Amino acid sequence: MSLSVRHIEVFRAIMLAGSVTGAARLLFTSQPTVSRELARLESLSGLTLFDRQGGRLLPTAQALMLLEEVERSYVGLERINSLVESIRRFEHGQLDLTCLPLFSQTLLPRVCKQFQRQHAGVGLCISAQESPLLEESLSAQRHDLGLTEGEQVPRGTRGELLFSADMLCVLPDGHALLQRERLAVADFQGVAFINLAGRDIYRQQLDEQFRQAGVERHTVIETTNAASVCAMVREGLGVAIINPLSALREAGRGLQVRRLEVSIPYRVMLVQPEFRPSSGFVEAFCGALRAEAGELMESLEEIR
């Protein structure tokens, strides 16, 4: 048995159209050609794929089983076509970047605006994903650049410290703790608190600070991202300690920001794959990232 791609195309077209005539229209060919290819397919495979009733073709159970595999094959073909298109765009000016969703909301918008002004013909593709998918895609050399938290970089990549600043406290307008310019760990004793999820590395550092100080926060809500934390604080549900990028972005939008007396550093790494062919636009984008990170750190210095 030796089925050809043409046989599969004819079979799929018939399944989609429900008739030989409809399949011929889909394939831009004649009805006799489709009928001949279908007969050849059934002869080669030894399967009865359709029951003929009143001029229509009704798929058998065998046809439905075959269709499942055919559709999987077409999905694979679509992925190949997508890759070809991606490669084509890359050659004509495409920069692919992956990062945590946080960075797509805080660090990247102004960088992209600045980059597009200088390189209007370059397409930007930003894939926002959480760990560990973020690190896995960087190790697999799927992107030109990546932005990650912390100082560890995935295997097969090299990293550069892009941004470093202390975590900050965000409070709703009118909160009693706003009377203090800097907040000590002891100030949070019994205070309603919005926490990041327990698996977050910065949540774990916070927990250790409070444990050492013997201070118990009154955690009222746990959530998985800083944007959600800020939304809860804005509604007056509690206070929170979050990354400085989100704090800076939300300051003045129903939220106030205060520094802590303890230092909990927050770091952003710029990551580049070791084995992916480099684009001439990568360094230009890195330059825009460095400039924006520098401006953000200067803005943070103005917070009292």
Side-chain angles (χ1 to χ4, degrees), residues 32-57:
T33 298
V34 172
S35 297
R36 183 171 62 252
E37 294 292 347
L38 174 58
R40 180 65 174 162
L41 169 60
E42 290 186 315
S43 174
L44 287 170
S45 66
L47 302 177
T48 301
L49 297 173
F50 297 95
D51 291 327
R52 281 75 173 171
Q53 293 185 9
R56 291 189 60 81
L57 298 179

Side-chain angles (χ1 to χ4, degrees), residues 104-145:
S104 67
Q105 302 163 4
T106 56
L107 182 58
L108 286 178
R110 292 209 323 172
V111 173
C112 292
K113 182 178 181 180
Q114 180 64 28
F115 181 80
Q116 285 285 294
R117 283 176 178 171
Q118 300 174 355
H119 305 279
V122 180
L124 293 173
C125 179
I126 299 172
S127 175
Q129 52 188 340
E130 299 285 357
S131 297
L133 294 178
L134 171 61
E135 290 78 11
E136 289 174 0
S137 66
L138 284 167
S139 292
Q141 316 294 302
R142 296 186 191 127
H143 303 277
D144 300 304
L145 293 172

Side-chain angles (χ1 to χ4, degrees), residues 175 177 186-194 216-220 238-239:
H175 196 280
L177 287 180
D187 292 331
F188 295 94
Q189 177 70 45
V191 173
F193 203 90
I194 314 296
E216 293 187 8
R217 294 160 292 175
H218 174 45
T219 298
V220 293
V239 304

Side-chain angles (χ1 to χ4, degrees), residues 251-271:
R253 302 179 182 181
L255 293 181
Q256 301 296 321
V257 178
R258 289 292 184 272
R259 291 188 178 277
L260 303 171
E261 290 186 355
V262 297
S263 174
I264 306 173
Y266 179 85
R267 297 183 174 93
V268 180
M269 294 296 290
L270 173 59
V271 181

Side-chain angles (χ1 to χ4, degrees), residues 1-16 23 27 34 37-38 40-42 44-45 47 49-50 63 66-74 77:
M1 182 182 70
S2 180
L3 299 180
S4 69
V5 173
R6 183 60 173 174
H7 294 137
I8 301 304
E9 287 178 340
V10 167
F11 168 72
R12 185 170 184 265
I14 295 172
M15 292 293 288
L16 291 173
L27 297 174
V34 172
E37 294 292 347
L38 174 58
R40 180 65 174 162
L41 169 60
E42 290 186 315
L44 287 170
S45 66
L47 302 177
L49 297 173
F50 297 95
L66 179 60
L67 181 64
E68 289 184 11
E69 187 60 36
V70 167
E71 289 299 331
R72 279 194 288 268
S73 299
Y74 269 80
L77 182 60

